[in-house]
Amino acid sequence: MEFAVVRIDDRLIHGQVIMGWTHSKGVNTIIAVDDVVANDSFQCSLLQFATPPGVKSYILTVEKAAALILSGDLANKKIMLLVKGPQAILGLMDKGVEIKNVNVGNVRPKDYTKEIVSHIYARESDIEAWKELCSRIEVIGQILPDSPKTNLNDLMSKF
């Protein structure tokens, strides 16, 4: 299965995703993957509410998302895969989900973070996951479809 967009964005489903990415890529299915959010009914409800009309959304754990993707049930869909950080992408790949590249939107600063680029921050403990991701696939920082692209594969070698 090939994805229309695979994106890391710590807000998951929100305005930039809805207006920018789903429209420009013709997305009709969103799979938001986060183990904590998927087990919080309130957060799931908020994300379902934020999903644009005509788009089906799933909010799943890494385990359940991998099972759904690998089942082939969504083979004819234009899917946007959304996660909050590199660990979820690595987890999906380790479960057999084929991901060729990742777009990184906003990963906002948290306590004790390093700035990778202006809109992407990482905790010291996350740097190794970012490096591993960049060693396995193409990783591009880009806020909106018409925004400039930043090659994170090159940048992460400096950390």
Side-chain angles (χ1 to χ4, degrees):
M1 167 185 297
E2 190 154 329
F3 297 99
V5 181
V6 178
R7 182 172 170 90
I8 297 174
D9 192 314
D10 66 4
R11 298 171 293 173
L12 296 175
I13 303 171
H14 62 89
Q16 286 177 347
V17 167
I18 294 165
M19 298 308 293
W21 293 99
T22 59
H23 287 54
S24 72
K25 301 294 184 179
V27 169
N28 59 23
T29 305
I30 295 173
I31 304 173
V33 182
D34 187 85
D35 289 349
V36 174
V37 173
N39 288 301
D40 182 325
S41 61
F42 180 70
Q43 287 189 52
C44 286
S45 294
L46 290 175
L47 292 174
Q48 293 285 352
F49 182 73
T51 302
V55 176
K56 171 75 173 157
S57 63
Y58 299 87
I59 297 89
L60 302 170
T61 63
V62 169
E63 184 88 24
K64 289 181 180 176
L68 176 63
I69 293 163
L70 295 171
S71 74
D73 291 348
L74 303 177
N76 297 322
K77 302 293 182 183
K78 294 214 50 162
I79 299 171
M80 173 181 249
L81 181 64
L82 287 169
V83 302
K84 287 187 171 192
Q87 295 88 343
I89 296 288
L90 293 168
L92 290 166
M93 291 171 67
D94 290 346
K95 292 189 180 309
V97 176
E98 185 178 344
I99 297 172
K100 296 178 181 173
N101 56 57
V102 175
N103 165 278
V104 184
N106 289 304
V107 181
R108 296 169 292 175
K110 299 167 183 74
D111 294 338
Y112 310 107
T113 57
K114 290 186 174 194
E115 181 180 31
I116 297 172
V117 294
S118 64
H119 61 282
I120 303 169
Y121 293 79
R123 289 187 181 102
E124 190 67 42
S125 60
D126 296 332
I127 295 292
E128 288 307 312
W130 281 104
K131 285 182 176 180
E132 181 181 348
L133 185 64
C134 287
S135 74
R136 293 172 70 177
I137 60 174
E138 179 185 38
V139 183
I140 300 295
Q142 186 179 24
I143 296 174
L144 292 168
D146 58 354
S147 299
K149 296 178 181 180
T150 303
N151 183 321
L152 295 181
N153 299 78
D154 295 337
L155 280 177
M156 288 312 299
S157 65
K158 299 175 185 174
F159 287 88

